[in-house]
Amino acid sequence: MLRLLATRGAGRRVRPPPAAGLGHLRRSPRRQASDVPRNQPPSPDLVARPVGISSMMRLPVQASPEGLDAAFVGVPLDIGTSNRPGARFGPRRIREESSMLRAVNPSTGALPFQSLTVADLGDVKVNLYNLQDSCRLIREAYEKIVAAGCVPLTLGGDHTITYPILQAISGKHGPVGLLHVDAHTDTTDKALGEKLYHGATFRRCVDEGLLDCKRVVQIGIRGSAATLDPYRYNRSQGFRVVLAEDCWFKSMVPLMAEVRQQMGGKPLYISFDIDALDPAYAPGTGTPEIAGLTPSQALEIIRGCQGLSIVGCDLVEVSPQYDISGNTALLAANLLFEMLCALPKVTTA
């Protein structure tokens, strides 16, 4: 019988994930931090990277969010896309590339696995034949996650998934601030007569009062448009729209100092579309736009959120079949790790 290597403490073994997925999360007694050692990604010096189940950072897979401070969650949905499909395979590919990651962030001094109990909750069970039903399933799964006091870090999936996630997040925290890094504003009212798809995500969030609109910042926006003033709606709602050309050849540190002041100490959600980056760095996405952000700018943006009241994050729109090298998924995995390192309870050395 094939044995799964342990990823929680030396010499222990982790059971394979249950087949039910997140659609049927089971409750378990909340574990105290002092009871057992916190989960740690296995060192590649001790366990070869190709060994073990393909979980995020090779962390233990857990059926329930109980006892977790934060968790990686996959949402393999792409039926809300407007161009190239394939983001349903994003979570799987990101997990594969995440085996390159280690437990400590020496650049920021962050020690996430010494500060938090983290696991991989597997994937939400979505309905690939019904977008409305998928959004219901996502919302219900995330309601259970946030009710357990667990901060979700989501592997997408197309950007439609952020809408039901924010329904669950705001159900606990009220309207939240939003740091939205993307090539597109995703505030179109409808397309082909439909009001629910990845280009309308934040329009629906505004309609339902899920966002604190005075604390919404969109960074990296660019590309051709249907009108000469495509950002009128966003600015009318109080959003700050930072165009990609205003970021060219610049450090994001000064901008993020302003964003930190704007967000204050209130709940913040980070939504990062991989197409915010230039397709030279991240070709594996469905709606690429030229002249985007660089990976170093992406790091500056996420690291600029360290210590803010982050209540959830997502990394969406990775479509691996357009990226033979795997670089897009590798970049996504690293950005998710940086988001984990930026969570408010993470200590730094």
Side-chain angles (χ1 to χ4, degrees):
M1 176 182 293
L2 177 65
R3 289 186 171 181
L4 298 176
L5 282 180
T7 53
R8 182 186 302 166
R12 301 188 181 186
R13 289 186 171 83
V14 60
R15 295 179 181 177
L22 282 177
H24 304 280
L25 288 175
R26 300 193 305 272
R27 295 184 66 86
S28 60
R30 187 166 182 85
R31 183 179 57 206
Q32 298 299 316
S34 59
D35 291 344
V36 294
R38 288 191 171 98
N39 301 332
Q40 293 282 337
S43 168
D45 296 333
L46 302 174
V47 181
R49 286 193 170 99
V51 173
I53 61 173
S54 186
S55 63
M56 186 64 182
M57 297 185 68
R58 298 190 292 172
L59 287 164
V61 177
Q62 188 166 312
S64 168
E66 297 293 335
L68 298 178
D69 298 302
F72 294 104
V73 189
V75 185
L77 182 75
D78 65 358
I79 58 174
T81 53
S82 58
N83 192 36
R84 304 187 302 194
R88 69 182 65 181
F89 302 114
R92 184 174 298 176
R93 192 72 175 100
I94 293 169
R95 286 184 173 109
E96 291 175 357
E97 294 297 334
S98 74
S99 67
M100 284 294 296
L101 295 169
R102 300 172 182 85
V104 174
N105 191 333
S107 296
T108 65
L111 304 167
F113 299 103
Q114 294 183 29
S115 313
L116 309 174
T117 302
V118 189
D120 190 326
L121 287 177
D123 291 335
V124 175
K125 291 182 66 177
V126 295
N127 183 348
L128 293 178
Y129 308 116
N130 188 318
L131 188 55
Q132 291 277 2
D133 189 45
S134 286
C135 286
R136 176 188 63 82
L137 292 167
I138 296 166
R139 173 179 53 79
E140 291 176 354
Y142 276 77
E143 285 173 345
K144 296 175 183 178
I145 293 169
V146 299
C150 176
V151 177
L153 299 106
T154 302
L155 293 66
D158 75 55
H159 223 152
T160 312
I161 69 174
T162 305
Y163 165 54
I165 293 172
L166 282 174
Q167 286 179 315
I169 294 282
S170 67
K172 178 175 182 178
H173 298 282
V176 297
L178 174 70
L179 177 64
H180 174 208
V181 190
D182 202 327
H184 314 97
T185 62
D186 294 348
T187 51
T188 303
D189 188 26
K190 57 185 177 181
L192 303 178
E194 298 295 327
K195 297 177 76 68
L196 184 60
Y197 81 112
H198 73 164
T201 295
F202 299 111
R203 186 74 163 243
R204 301 288 79 83
C205 290
V206 170
D207 290 347
E208 295 186 18
L210 309 181
L211 301 177
D212 179 357
C213 293
K214 299 301 182 183
R215 294 193 305 120
V216 174
V217 178
Q218 299 180 300
I219 302 175
I221 309 301
R222 62 190 190 278
S224 55
T227 69
L228 288 175
D229 189 9
Y231 316 121
R232 179 183 300 175
Y233 169 82
N234 306 62
R235 289 169 173 149
S236 73
Q237 300 301 314
F239 294 8
R240 180 177 181 178
V241 180
V242 181
L243 303 182
E245 48 259 48
D246 295 326
C247 301
W248 291 346
F249 313 113
K250 295 179 182 177
S251 167
M252 297 291 98
V253 172
L255 170 63
M256 290 310 299
E258 297 174 5
V259 171
R260 291 182 66 86
Q261 184 174 13
Q262 182 176 349
M263 296 302 172
K266 297 180 181 179
L268 168 67
Y269 187 86
I270 300 174
S271 186
F272 201 115
D273 188 323
I274 201 67
D275 71 22
L277 282 93
D278 191 272
Y281 305 106
T285 192
T287 49
E289 301 281 0
I290 67 165
L293 303 178
T294 67
S296 58
Q297 289 176 315
L299 292 179
E300 288 180 324
I301 290 169
I302 297 173
R303 291 175 182 177
C305 295
Q306 189 168 24
L308 294 178
S309 184
I310 301 168
V311 294
C313 312
D314 64 51
L315 190 294
V316 298
E317 298 285 356
V318 172
S319 296
Q321 63 270 43
Y322 309 114
D323 181 20
I324 297 174
S325 68
N327 282 349
T328 306
L330 177 62
L331 178 54
N334 276 271
L335 296 181
L336 283 159
F337 173 66
E338 293 285 342
M339 292 176 192
L340 175 67
C341 292
L343 294 185
K345 293 182 179 180
V346 173
T347 58
T348 56

